[in-house]
Amino acid sequence: MSLESPVLDIDPLIDDPKTRIVVCCGSGGVGKTTTAAALGVRAAERGRKAVVLTIDPARRLAQSMGLTELDNTPRKVAGIDESAGGELHAMMLDMKRTFDEVVLQHTDRERARAILDNPFYQSLSAGFAGTQEYMAMEKLGQLRALDEWDLIIVDTPPSRSALDFLDAPKRLGSFLDGRFIRLLMAPAKVGGRAGVKFLNVGMSMMTGTLSKVMGAHLLRDVQTFVAAMDSMFGGFRSRADATYKLLQANGTAFLVVAAPERDALREASYFVERLAAENMPLAGLVLNRVHGSGAARLTAERALAAAEALEDLGALEAADDDPAAEDPPTPQPTGEFDESAENLQSVGIVDQPGGKAGLRTADGGEGTPSTDSTDTNSPGAPAGSPTPSPTACAPAQGPAAGRPADPPDADRIAAGLLRLHAERMQLVARERRTRDRFVSVHPDVPMVDVAALPGDVHDLEGLRAIGERLAQGQPTAA
């Protein structure tokens, strides 16, 4: 007996004007991007002015929404039914461009140019670990501050761990407050001759060691970057804290997205516990790509048994319809010589007193030699050759002895379908057990199961179909 959890009702969540931010989070490869896009389409067609922020590098969202490109600027999605008064915009996070915008916005032009041209900054903004998660938080804060949309749907980065999104602001604060950064910033803060003296005396040994490890050019780039960013570090921390508090606000709802697989649900369990520890509002769990069957009453065991029975029955019927499939009777020795062959099956090789001449008779009788008998059935054979037995010369028919005949096509197809159904039911049972383990640990978390589609989602109709499954088959109209 499977465990049941509270049902996650999506439509009241996205219809509520108090809901301003929906964050779709979870481990990679569980359908976060598709879920976020489907929620955006459904919310817009139910009257909300929504924007979807995706951080998916595969750019499937752009393809699904019919956009030729997605960039750091929200673009309106065509093909949305706006009769209810809603509309949909979509954008893809450009991590480096977002970082550049932060630099340009929070420092003067001369220092901004020094930062943007710094090689260490270029590497940091292009792919430093944790930068993508932090910039997603930064962009979320920017969108919320603009107040142009009444619903922001965030597709979190495809991180190895779902917790990276929540940990990014704290990791940035730890990095900025770390000893290494403070040491690099110290010379710039001291200033004058004292700063030069400190740099020459106090840091000579440290910089010499770091130069060997990092390289002199890299160390110089890092020091220049840190000196230029000094005035911005406080701004980074304050905005990260503000965005973190925004995620804890009542208008934010977290949707944990998972697949019915052990690793994905384990990651979802960790995330649920972390949200509870951080006092962040959890709306529920979306379980994507759930498999089912229209013939669930036929169990895997019964389907396999029926397939085996059909295969056995088909083999028996094929054997009954094929006379050649029967084993010939074993001749019993009678003491009389069988004229049809020299090598008797039961008594081995028998030499006749007269050799082969003893088998030749003028009239087919026994014992009288024939001198002019000719085998007319074998042209070119020597005179007096015995007429071959039709039974002995006929090619073998039917399957080899002891090998069952192939069943008829109908039985074979039916047995194959039964085996496919058995595999599907085994998959359904495995997914159900995995789901039940999660429910047993988190019985109060609302859940919605989204049935797997037969193909990939690549257009708005596919996103609408996902939205209907999210709303458990309810039509889009409110």
Side-chain angles (χ1 to χ4, degrees):
M1 181 177 180
S2 60
L3 302 177
E4 296 299 330
S5 62
V7 177
L8 173 60
D9 204 345
I10 289 292
D11 285 345
L13 175 67
I14 61 178
D15 291 343
D16 188 355
K18 295 181 180 179
T19 303
R20 301 298 303 275
I21 298 174
V22 174
V23 181
C24 297
C25 52
S27 57
V30 296
K32 289 180 299 184
T33 300
T34 304
T35 300
L39 286 173
V41 171
R42 190 169 184 86
E45 294 186 341
R46 292 177 67 87
R48 301 297 299 273
K49 187 177 181 181
V51 58
V52 177
L53 167 63
T54 181
I55 305 97
D56 184 9
R59 299 180 182 262
R60 288 175 297 147
L61 180 63
Q63 299 172 2
S64 298
M65 294 186 170
L67 299 174
T68 56
E69 62 177 344
L70 283 178
D71 54 23
N72 227 36
T73 303
R75 298 176 180 271
K76 190 173 181 179
V77 178
I80 298 295
D81 182 2
E82 300 180 355
S83 59
E87 60 184 53
L88 179 63
H89 290 75
M91 63 175 296
M92 176 178 289
L93 177 71
D94 186 330
M95 185 174 62
K96 188 179 186 311
R97 183 174 170 184
T98 301
F99 212 150
D100 292 348
E101 291 174 354
V102 172
V103 171
L104 293 171
Q105 183 178 357
H106 296 282
T107 189
D108 58 82
R109 180 174 298 182
E110 182 179 353
R111 183 167 292 189
R113 179 52 53 194
I115 294 173
L116 297 178
D117 292 340
N118 187 277
F120 179 75
Y121 167 79
Q122 293 173 1
S123 299
L124 176 71
S125 60
F128 198 74
T131 307
Q132 189 178 49
E133 287 78 11
Y134 175 79
M135 287 302 142
M137 301 277 278
E138 185 79 31
K139 179 56 68 174
L140 172 60
Q142 292 177 7
L143 293 175
R144 185 66 181 87
L146 291 174
D147 202 24
E148 294 183 9
W149 299 274
D150 54 24
L151 180 62
I152 302 172
I153 301 174
V154 182
D155 165 33
T156 55
S159 308
R160 180 189 59 82
S161 170
L163 300 177
D164 289 346
F165 181 69
L166 291 180
D167 289 334
K170 290 186 176 180
R171 284 205 307 270
L172 179 67
S174 300
F175 172 72
L176 298 179
D177 293 332
R179 292 183 178 180
F180 178 68
I181 294 296
R182 291 202 303 268
L183 285 172
L184 293 178
M185 291 171 61
K189 289 184 175 181
V190 174
R193 292 184 178 180
V196 175
K197 183 177 181 181
F198 176 82
L199 178 62
N200 291 335
V201 178
M203 296 188 66
S204 58
M205 294 183 63
M206 185 196 75
T207 54
T209 303
L210 290 176
S211 296
K212 294 179 181 178
V213 175
M214 302 172 58
H217 292 290
L218 177 58
L219 179 60
R220 185 165 54 253
D221 291 339
V222 172
Q223 289 175 326
T224 305
F225 166 75
V226 170
M229 291 285 287
D230 182 24
S231 61
M232 295 182 55
F233 284 163
F236 273 112
R237 272 192 295 266
S238 61
R239 287 191 304 277
D241 293 341
T243 305
Y244 206 74
K245 291 179 180 178
L246 182 64
L247 295 176
Q248 294 175 321
N250 292 330
T252 300
F254 279 85
L255 286 177
V256 179
V257 184
E261 302 167 359
R262 184 179 59 182
D263 293 341
L265 280 174
R266 183 187 295 117
E267 193 80 15
S269 180
Y270 293 153
F271 205 94
V272 167
E273 294 171 359
R274 174 65 182 278
L275 290 174
E278 300 288 342
N279 295 319
M280 292 187 175
L282 172 64
L285 178 95
V286 174
L287 196 61
N288 268 334
R289 297 195 289 267
V290 177
H291 293 88
S293 173
R297 296 180 62 184
L298 179 59
T299 64
E301 293 77 10
R302 292 174 59 189
L304 287 174
E308 292 175 359
L310 272 176
E311 290 168 349
D312 293 342
L313 179 62
L316 290 174
E317 290 178 351
D320 291 341
D321 294 339
D322 187 2
E326 299 179 359
D327 293 334
T330 302
Q332 300 295 327
T334 59
E336 299 180 356
F337 177 66
D338 185 0
E339 295 180 344
S340 63
E342 292 182 359
N343 297 336
L344 302 183
Q345 295 183 7
S346 60
V347 297
I349 300 176
V350 178
D351 293 332
Q352 300 299 320
K356 290 187 178 180
L359 297 177
R360 306 188 189 105
T361 59
D363 57 354
E366 183 178 349
T368 307
S370 174
T371 58
D372 56 354
S373 171
T374 304
D375 184 5
T376 58
N377 294 326
S378 301
S385 297
T387 302
S389 170
T391 303
C393 295
Q397 301 291 332
R403 175 182 170 187
D406 291 336
D409 288 343
D411 291 342
R412 189 164 55 246
I413 293 173
L417 291 175
L418 285 168
R419 291 189 180 277
L420 285 176
H421 175 76
E423 292 178 2
R424 170 56 65 91
M425 293 306 297
Q426 290 169 351
L427 174 62
V428 170
R430 184 167 61 251
E431 291 180 351
R432 174 60 64 171
R433 289 193 300 269
T434 305
R435 182 187 188 276
D436 287 348
R437 282 195 290 269
F438 177 89
V439 175
S440 66
V441 178
H442 305 285
D444 298 328
V445 175
M447 294 180 62
V448 60
D449 294 349
V450 180
L453 290 176
D456 293 334
V457 176
H458 58 274
D459 54 16
L460 288 178
E461 288 303 319
L463 292 176
R464 291 189 182 98
I466 294 293
E468 290 179 1
R469 283 166 169 78
L470 285 167
Q472 298 185 327
Q474 298 299 320
T476 300

